[in-house]
Amino acid sequence: MDFRLDDIDRKLLALLQADARESTAKLARKLNLARTTVVARIARLEKEGVIAGYGVRLGSKLEQSAVRAYCGISVMPKTAQSVMQVLEGIPEVEEVSAVSGQHDYMIFLRCDSNEKLDALLDRIGLIDGIRQTYTSVVLSRKIDRRGALPAMPHLGG
């Protein structure tokens, strides 16, 4: 599907990222548009898959109390699908990305304590098909642009 984001779309997306619960009337006022225009733009962005859904962004209090880690894993040939199925069932696994380099996948983990992280890493290391793991614990986040709209003039072709 061919689509483009204009300046109004980008401003609307930025406002929704800041507060997805803001009313369409308030969004319309901030964008100097009719409410019906904002509703139509949101519907179009949802239909085109630009907006995939709405969620909750965790506050700094919960974020700071969590123990977070990146775990690189190498998997045995032909086992990636079964490994992903097991990882998908572990709630502390927030993200899994296929990567290039020394490991096949990077897993972002979030636990309540160091002890729970240690037990989780043992559990991950025992998954059939995982050959090797390497873990780095996050000490602090210096830059956080998650959820920010990429700085590109438009999407699509």
Side-chain angles (χ1 to χ4, degrees):
M1 183 178 296
D2 186 29
F3 63 91
R4 297 191 185 276
L5 296 179
D6 63 17
D7 287 341
I8 294 172
D9 289 334
R10 296 179 75 71
K11 289 175 187 174
L12 175 58
L13 288 169
L15 290 170
L16 287 171
Q17 286 177 309
D19 183 4
R21 296 180 65 188
E22 191 157 48
S23 72
T24 52
K26 284 185 181 179
L27 292 169
R29 280 193 296 276
K30 289 180 178 182
L31 295 168
N32 199 25
L33 296 172
R35 190 189 65 78
T36 54
T37 301
V38 171
V39 170
R41 280 182 179 259
I42 290 172
R44 177 181 53 81
L45 292 169
E46 289 171 344
K47 180 181 174 193
E48 292 175 344
V50 175
I51 297 176
Y54 302 88
V56 174
R57 193 173 29 202
L58 300 176
S60 61
K61 190 173 210 173
L62 182 60
E63 183 76 14
Q64 291 168 359
S65 68
V67 177
R68 298 160 297 162
Y70 289 96
C71 180
I73 62 170
S74 299
V75 298
M76 301 293 285
K78 301 181 183 178
T79 63
Q81 186 175 0
S82 62
V83 168
M84 290 306 125
Q85 287 175 340
V86 175
L87 291 174
E88 197 169 312
I90 301 173
E92 295 87 356
V93 172
E94 290 197 357
E95 181 179 330
V96 179
S97 299
V99 296
S100 63
Q102 185 176 2
H103 303 287
D104 300 311
Y105 300 94
M106 288 299 292
I107 308 169
F108 183 73
L109 306 168
R110 182 189 311 271
C111 293
D112 295 334
S113 67
N114 286 320
E115 291 78 14
K116 288 183 180 178
L117 175 62
D118 185 41
L120 177 61
L121 292 171
D122 287 344
R123 181 176 166 196
I124 289 171
L126 293 173
I127 295 172
D128 281 339
I130 291 186
R131 179 183 6 207
Q132 181 182 18
T133 66
Y134 177 84
T135 304
S136 294
V137 174
V138 175
L139 301 176
S140 66
R141 183 172 283 133
K142 302 297 185 185
I143 297 171
D144 183 3
R145 292 191 180 113
R146 291 172 300 153
L149 197 58
M152 42 175 70
H154 60 80
L155 298 175

